[in-house]
């Protein structure tokens, strides 16, 4: 047994201190940036990514997010035919999408077929729950060897050592997060995880030192959390729960006492496993399912995110998101959001 007594922090343990700022209005802040990748591609946009989950990473979501230059990691259950059909009418959106695979040979072959059919697709996301499994690094290296000229995001990991290893295996973007997801039960089921803010800071320092980027994945429940992740060094922030339940989620809507609710579930929940080929007996569920009040079109959520991030930048005097980590001073706090009214419903919805 070894005890690492270093204090690891989550989003709710910290706040960003306001600073004297030359910015008079949040309109002066530009949230789009260029992401230079080691593979040579330059992605341009706002570093927000819809998660590759059923009910989040859908073609409809990608269309809505691309309007605001945000990215979508499509869930991995779209077929070649569906991809080809989507690409036909949405060429302008393709720079904003990632195509997701896991670690099976079949998925790698399928990826090859999709990229052959749609060569202008540039972004790949290799996604596994546990980036520490022995087969993961060799798989990432294999994907890189097969597709040397594509942007490669890979994860999930939570520390410097594995971030470096992933970059050396060919990843352009290290995906960070084990256990923080809104419908993830890993921490409860296994006792494993690292508080997400500290994980982002550690991985970002390691990846940036090697010229790579990071995507903080999971645990953001409000725009302030996205701002903290970006200020802590994340180049991208991946969101599941914040985009779930919107019209673009393509989720099953059910009526409960006259009100519409959308089903949202973790990708290793029993619901997801049943949906995609049955529960494997050796694998306990590490995800749960919830019904969210239907939230309508995602456009309002996107404006909330853009407005909040502009405001964060204005508070600390950053004219863009690349400057944000340089300007941000974090303070350690016990509790930062006024808890008195937290339980009350807003007239504007959540
Ligand atoms: P959220 O933004 O909802 O907090 O987190 C989204 C992330 O949760 C996803 O991108 C993915 O990394 C993670 N996730 C999704 N489903 C599951 C699951 O069933 N189990 C676990 N452990 N993580 C999940």
């Amino acid at each position: 047994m070894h005890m690492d007594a270093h204090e690891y922090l989550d989003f709710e343990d910290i706040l960003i201190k306001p600073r004297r700022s030359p910015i008079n209005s949040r309109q002066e802040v530009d949230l789009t940036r260029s992401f230079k990748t080691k593979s040579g591609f330059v992605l341009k946009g706002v570093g927000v990514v819809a998660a590759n989950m059923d009910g989040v990473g859908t073609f409809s979501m990608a269309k809505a997010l691309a309007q605001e230059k945000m990215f979508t990691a499509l869930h991995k259950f779209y077929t070649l035919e569906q991809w080809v059909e989507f690409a036909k009418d949405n060429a302008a959106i393709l720079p904003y999408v990632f195509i997701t695979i896991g670690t099976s040979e079949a998925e790698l072959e399928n990826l090859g077929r999709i990229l052959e059919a749609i060569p202008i697709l540039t972004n790949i996301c290799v996604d596994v729950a546990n980036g520490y499994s022995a087969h993961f690094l060799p798989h990432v290296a294999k994907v890189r060897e097969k597709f040397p000229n594509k942007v490669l995001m890979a994860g999930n990991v939570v520390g410097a050592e594995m971030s470096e290893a992933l970059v050396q295996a060919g990843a352009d973007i290290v995906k960070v997060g084990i256990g923080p997801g809104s419908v993830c039960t890993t921490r409860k089921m296994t006792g494993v995880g690292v508080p997400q803010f500290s994980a982002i800071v550690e991985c970002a320092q390691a990846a940036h030192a090697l010229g790579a980027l990071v995507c903080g994945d999971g645990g953001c429940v409000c725009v302030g959390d996205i701002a903290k992740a970006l200020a802590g060094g994340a180049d991208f922030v991946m969101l599941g729960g914040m985009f779930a339940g919107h019209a673009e989620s393509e989720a099953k809507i059910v009526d409960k006492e006259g009100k519409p609710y959308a089903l949202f579930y973790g990708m290793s929940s029993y619901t997801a496993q049943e949906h995609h080929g049955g529960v494997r007996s050796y694998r306990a569920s590490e995800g749960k399912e919830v019904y969210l009040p239907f939230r309508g079109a995602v456009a309002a959520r996107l404006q909330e995110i853009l407005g909040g991030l502009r405001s964060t930048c204005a508070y600390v005097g950053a004219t863009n998101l690349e400057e944000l980590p340089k300007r941000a001073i974090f303070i350690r706090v016990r509790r930062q959001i006024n808890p008195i009214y937290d339980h009350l419903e807003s007239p504007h919805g959540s």
Side-chain angles (χ1 to χ4, degrees), residues 62-182:
K63 285 186 205 172
L65 264 63
Q67 301 269 325
E68 301 297 346
K69 299 191 170 65
M70 293 182 192
F71 300 84
T72 299
L74 275 305
H75 67 64
K76 61 184 187 184
F77 305 105
Y78 285 121
T79 62
L80 171 64
E81 292 70 33
Q82 287 172 309
W83 267 103
V84 169
E85 189 62 31
F86 174 73
K88 227 174 9 186
D89 303 326
N90 296 291
I93 289 167
L94 297 180
Y96 297 102
V97 304
F98 284 79
I99 172 166
T100 304
I101 59 162
T103 52
S104 75
E105 275 305 309
E107 286 173 283
L108 189 55
E109 276 168 29
N110 198 38
L111 172 69
R113 278 193 287 272
I114 294 172
L115 292 177
E116 200 178 322
I118 316 166
I120 55 168
L121 265 177
T122 53
N123 311 327
I124 301 169
C125 174
V126 183
D127 182 47
V128 295
N130 176 11
Y132 293 79
S133 323
H135 66 297
F136 181 56
L137 275 179
H139 180 70
V140 171
K142 194 168 169 184
V143 178
R144 171 50 81 213
E145 199 185 309
K146 220 170 157 191
F147 306 106
N149 302 318
K150 302 286 180 186
V151 175
L152 186 52
M153 169 146 64
N156 281 15
V157 299
V158 281
E161 213 183 342
M162 274 306 285
S163 298
E164 285 164 5
L166 268 180
V167 176
Q168 281 154 2
D172 294 299
I173 308 168
V174 174
K175 195 149 78 77
V176 180
I178 293 194
S182 57

Side-chain angles (χ1 to χ4, degrees), residues 5-323:
H6 173 82
E7 191 174 22
Y8 288 84
L9 303 172
D10 232 318
F11 296 127
E12 61 183 6
D13 301 319
I14 49 157
L15 279 173
I16 303 167
K17 242 172 130 176
R19 296 182 73 172
R20 275 183 70 186
S21 164
I23 299 166
N24 292 312
S25 148
R26 44 188 218 171
Q27 301 313 323
E28 294 170 32
V29 176
D30 183 5
L31 296 177
T32 57
R33 57 165 278 199
S34 296
F35 301 92
K36 292 194 187 92
T37 66
K38 282 174 79 81
S39 57
F41 263 102
V42 179
L43 299 177
K44 289 199 174 108
V46 180
V48 169
V49 189
N52 48 292
M53 301 171 72
D54 292 3
V56 181
T58 63
F59 284 140
S60 318
M61 194 68 76
K63 285 186 205 172
L65 264 63
Q67 301 269 325
E68 301 297 346
K69 299 191 170 65
M70 293 182 192
F71 300 84
T72 299
L74 275 305
H75 67 64
K76 61 184 187 184
F77 305 105
Y78 285 121
T79 62
L80 171 64
E81 292 70 33
Q82 287 172 309
W83 267 103
V84 169
E85 189 62 31
F86 174 73
K88 227 174 9 186
D89 303 326
N90 296 291
I93 289 167
L94 297 180
Y96 297 102
V97 304
F98 284 79
I99 172 166
T100 304
I101 59 162
T103 52
S104 75
E105 275 305 309
E107 286 173 283
L108 189 55
E109 276 168 29
N110 198 38
L111 172 69
R113 278 193 287 272
I114 294 172
L115 292 177
E116 200 178 322
I118 316 166
I120 55 168
L121 265 177
T122 53
N123 311 327
I124 301 169
C125 174
V126 183
D127 182 47
V128 295
N130 176 11
Y132 293 79
S133 323
H135 66 297
F136 181 56
L137 275 179
H139 180 70
V140 171
K142 194 168 169 184
V143 178
R144 171 50 81 213
E145 199 185 309
K146 220 170 157 191
F147 306 106
N149 302 318
K150 302 286 180 186
V151 175
L152 186 52
M153 169 146 64
N156 281 15
V157 299
V158 281
E161 213 183 342
M162 274 306 285
S163 298
E164 285 164 5
L166 268 180
V167 176
Q168 281 154 2
D172 294 299
I173 308 168
V174 174
K175 195 149 78 77
V176 180
I178 293 194
S182 57
V183 281
C184 156
T185 56
T186 295
R187 290 178 185 172
K188 268 196 175 149
M189 289 295 293
T190 68
V192 172
V194 172
Q196 182 67 352
F197 179 74
S198 288
I200 288 172
V201 171
E202 187 177 322
C203 294
Q205 281 170 355
H208 290 167
L210 297 177
L213 302 164
V214 297
C215 176
D217 174 19
C220 290
V221 298
C222 56
V223 187
D225 292 345
I226 304 172
K228 290 171 190 177
L230 294 169
D235 302 281
F236 298 90
V237 177
M238 183 172 272
L239 306 175
M242 284 186 71
F243 287 144
H246 283 285
E248 293 79 359
S249 70
E250 299 174 7
K252 183 176 150 194
I253 306 291
V254 296
D255 184 280
K256 284 184 182 230
E257 294 167 0
K259 287 188 180 161
Y261 283 79
L263 178 62
F264 177 47
Y265 49 84
M267 294 311 292
S268 78
S269 63
Y270 286 117
T271 307
Q273 292 183 47
E274 266 167 12
H275 222 86
H276 303 295
V279 182
R280 283 174 279 167
S281 57
Y282 62 87
R283 187 170 178 189
S285 161
E286 285 175 26
K288 63 183 175 187
E289 34 294 282
V290 291
Y291 279 104
L292 300 173
F294 180 65
R295 291 160 158 171
V298 79
R301 172 69 91 189
L302 302 185
Q303 290 314 312
E304 178 191 53
I305 293 173
L306 294 170
L309 291 180
R310 279 201 188 95
S311 212
T312 310
C313 289
Y315 266 119
V316 300
T319 52
N320 57 57
L321 287 178
E322 267 170 309
E323 277 178 25

